[in-house]
Amino acid sequence: MIEELYGNLGMIEQEIFQRIVNLLLGKTFIVYNVYDENKKTTVFNPDYRFIERNLELFEKYLRLGGWNLERNDNYEVIYITSQYGYNKMHLDKFTTVILYILRLMYEQKRENINLTEQIVVNVSEIISTLNEIGAYNKKKPALTEIRQALGTIAKFNLIQKIDGKYEDPETKIIILPSILFAITAESITKINDSIKDTNEEIDEEEVEMNGEE
């Protein structure tokens, strides 16, 4: 059946299929809308459309390797999960906190917009939220910490930089809806409880992203 579905693709489409399978294995998440740096605007993601058109092929092929292809139509996010719970990304404590804050900011801001609008924040807002909720034991995070944390999160299509550098307070960042599926509700509760308890240290987290960093 897989051979038939794959054989129905043209040569160029077969190459696209191979590339997207590798993209899913490397980045975990694919979203419908992405920011085009050249056009300076949000455009639809052709990779997302390609998966939709060939959904059965992707599902069957990935299942052979022990992966589930997940799709959330409300937020237009496609991602993969391991059937065995392997390949989860191990984040350091600071990156865990930044991921939590980005998720928190996404939840807060989406209440005032519709699902088709992008949620945009700048780095200074992230740092301000970090200080406001008391999730960091230093007065001010180092620029290298900010750059490394946001760079790691961006690798997995959870955020997308519009312009500038991650260490620049004015740099604008799109928080993608995929962030809702990267960290479990259980982890959010645990982090939130740790922040409220000033004597408890936030732990490193394993999140729903492929890799071992």
Side-chain angles (χ1 to χ4, degrees), residues 90-103 123-131 133-153 159 166-167 173 179 183 191 195 201-207 209 213:
H90 189 78
L91 298 181
D92 60 50
K93 294 178 182 179
F94 184 71
T95 305
T96 298
V97 171
I98 294 297
L99 182 63
Y100 167 79
I101 286 173
L102 289 168
R103 163 77 185 249
V123 173
S124 64
E125 288 182 81
I126 298 171
I127 296 173
S128 294
T129 304
L130 186 69
N131 294 329
I133 67 175
Y136 194 57
N137 57 7
K138 297 180 183 178
K139 290 185 178 180
K140 186 178 180 181
L143 294 179
T144 53
E145 288 182 295
I146 292 290
R147 183 180 67 247
Q148 290 170 359
L150 292 176
T152 297
I153 294 168
I159 60 174
Y166 285 123
E167 57 267 37
I173 293 171
I179 202 161
I183 182 168
I191 295 169
I195 291 171
E201 188 174 2
I202 295 173
D203 293 328
E204 299 174 347
E205 284 293 330
E206 286 187 340
V207 295
M209 303 185 292
E213 293 184 17

Side-chain angles (χ1 to χ4, degrees), residues 5 16 30 49 51 71 78 99 102 115 159 187 205:
L5 291 170
I16 294 173
I30 292 179
R49 288 274 187 88
I51 296 174
R71 181 174 64 157
I78 291 174
L99 182 63
L102 289 168
L115 289 177
I159 60 174
S187 294
E205 284 293 330

Side-chain angles (χ1 to χ4, degrees), residues 24 28-30 48 51-52 69-71 76-79:
L24 280 166
T28 307
F29 298 95
I30 292 179
Y48 190 99
I51 296 174
E52 282 190 317
L69 185 72
E70 313 283 356
R71 181 174 64 157
E76 297 179 314
V77 177
I78 291 174
Y79 60 104

Side-chain angles (χ1 to χ4, degrees), residues 41-176:
T41 188
T42 299
V43 299
F44 79 88
N45 186 350
D47 290 344
Y48 190 99
R49 288 274 187 88
F50 186 87
I51 296 174
E52 282 190 317
R53 291 197 303 270
N54 300 280
L55 192 61
E56 185 179 6
L57 173 59
F58 277 96
E59 287 176 336
K60 291 182 178 299
Y61 182 85
L62 288 164
R63 194 174 298 126
L64 286 176
W67 297 95
N68 293 320
L69 185 72
E70 313 283 356
R71 181 174 64 157
N72 186 286
D73 292 329
N74 289 333
Y75 291 97
E76 297 179 314
V77 177
I78 291 174
Y79 60 104
I80 57 172
T81 58
S82 171
Q83 295 175 6
Y84 300 96
Y86 300 154
N87 296 77
K88 287 191 177 183
M89 181 79 173
H90 189 78
L91 298 181
D92 60 50
K93 294 178 182 179
F94 184 71
T95 305
T96 298
V97 171
I98 294 297
L99 182 63
Y100 167 79
I101 286 173
L102 289 168
R103 163 77 185 249
L104 186 68
M105 295 175 79
Y106 184 94
E107 294 274 13
Q108 290 173 342
K109 289 179 179 291
R110 73 170 178 168
E111 294 178 359
N112 301 316
I113 66 172
N114 61 56
L115 289 177
T116 61
E117 291 183 82
Q118 296 281 15
I119 292 178
V120 180
V121 300
N122 58 38
V123 173
S124 64
E125 288 182 81
I126 298 171
I127 296 173
S128 294
T129 304
L130 186 69
N131 294 329
E132 286 172 8
I133 67 175
Y136 194 57
N137 57 7
K138 297 180 183 178
K139 290 185 178 180
K140 186 178 180 181
L143 294 179
T144 53
E145 288 182 295
I146 292 290
R147 183 180 67 247
Q148 290 170 359
L150 292 176
T152 297
I153 294 168
K155 286 180 183 177
F156 298 92
N157 290 333
L158 301 176
I159 60 174
Q160 188 175 11
K161 181 164 55 110
I162 293 179
D163 53 24
K165 298 180 179 180
Y166 285 123
E167 57 267 37
D168 184 347
E170 299 306 314
T171 293
K172 293 180 180 178
I173 293 171
I174 298 172
I175 308 177
L176 300 171

